[in-house]
Amino acid sequence: MKKQKGRGLFVFLCAAPAVLLFLVFMVYPTVSVFRLSLYKWSGLNPNKEFVGLNNFKILFADMNFVRSFQNTILLIVVVTIVTLGLALVFAAILTREKIRGQNFFRVVFYIPNILSIVIVAAIFSAIYDPKNGMLNSLLNRPAGEEILWLGDQKIVIWSIVIALIWQAIGYYMVMYMASMASIPLSLYECADLEGASHVRQFFSITIPLIWSNIRTTLTFFIISTINLSFLLVNAMTGGGPDGATEVFLSYMYKQAYTNSSFGYGMAIGVVVFTFSFALSAVVNAITRRETVEL
């Protein structure tokens, strides 16, 4: 009995700091966001006016918010599909094919991930520069007819998409390579004997055996895209031109800290939290399948 009590006390003392930190830095701020979303408050004075769900009524009639919502959905769908798709293809090539300098390519692909998002923004801002940028130079655009990669409302969001893909692809490629390395070569040898092409082997052997890893990275990447898109947009365009690159978190930040509409900003935060949680649940439900074991 004393041993059980002593063991229980030991477990409690070990878990208590982590639980306390979780409550203070995760649960309490989240509850505070939900609470403050019900108030009209500038965030600069102690006076708060309780308005109930009025912030949410204004929010869903706000076309600027709707536009930021559309931009976020676009980034999540396009960046996720392209990044994870290319990461899988590159991982399969570098894992299975005999290519000179494989380790060199692994390092080169991974380098963008270790760079600060501000540095990534600076690199692509220089590339997209209309007068001295590398992209317009390669396209040989004459003076006065340069493409405004970060100034044209029709293409600026796609410039952000390319930067996000370039920054993330190496990290997920390395993760998939680690999973693919655990697949027995005998499976591929048997498939070769049966006459299966490398493409068929990729979809019939590789993908099913690393599916659990794909599911995990898919959910993780969707959430990280919401966060990284804010950082990249804030550093490259500030949400412009004319709100063409505004995303969830950049619009929330402007409302809460620039326009002194803190309660309204927290209402946006509640929508972002709910949307992220719901989207993760939907993705997990859609991608659930029976685990294939070796």
Side-chain angles (χ1 to χ4, degrees), residues 153-229:
Q153 294 187 38
K154 295 180 180 179
I155 62 175
V156 63
I157 193 67
W158 299 105
S159 300
I160 299 295
V161 165
I162 293 171
L164 283 170
I165 292 171
W166 182 82
Q167 189 272 339
I169 193 169
Y171 175 77
Y172 293 93
M173 184 193 76
V174 171
M175 291 187 67
Y176 293 143
M177 288 177 69
S179 297
M180 292 177 186
S182 64
I183 300 176
L185 292 177
S186 58
L187 295 177
Y188 293 113
E189 292 171 355
C190 291
D192 283 330
L193 293 174
E194 294 293 331
S197 66
H198 282 195
V199 175
R200 179 64 181 273
Q201 292 175 32
F202 177 75
F203 286 103
S204 299
I205 298 175
T206 305
I207 296 297
L209 290 178
I210 67 168
W211 186 252
S212 59
N213 191 16
I214 293 174
R215 285 188 68 204
T216 302
T217 54
L218 182 60
T219 303
F220 177 76
F221 188 76
I222 288 172
I223 302 302
S224 66
T225 298
I226 295 175
N227 295 325
L228 288 176
S229 62

Side-chain angles (χ1 to χ4, degrees), residues 6-7 19 22 65-66 80 89 103 110-111 125 135 139 147 186 210 217 229 240 246 280 282-283 287:
R7 185 177 180 181
V19 173
F22 179 77
F65 171 75
V66 173
T80 300
V89 172
N103 291 332
Y110 192 75
I111 284 176
S125 294
L135 197 51
L139 295 174
I147 298 175
S186 58
I210 67 168
T217 54
S229 62
E246 205 77 80
S280 299
V282 170
V283 169
T287 58

Side-chain angles (χ1 to χ4, degrees), residues 85-105:
L86 290 178
L88 280 167
V89 172
F90 292 150
I93 292 173
L94 292 176
T95 302
R96 293 214 54 213
E97 304 297 330
K98 294 181 180 179
I99 300 174
R100 287 185 179 181
Q102 284 184 337
N103 291 332
F104 170 77
F105 285 112

Side-chain angles (χ1 to χ4, degrees), residues 67 71 148-160 232-247 250-251 254:
R67 190 173 189 180
N71 288 337
L148 303 177
W149 300 101
L150 297 179
D152 189 332
Q153 294 187 38
K154 295 180 180 179
I155 62 175
V156 63
I157 193 67
W158 299 105
S159 300
I160 299 295
L232 197 62
V233 164
N234 202 40
M236 288 182 69
T237 65
D242 196 26
T245 57
E246 205 77 80
V247 292
S250 65
Y251 191 64
K254 285 182 179 179

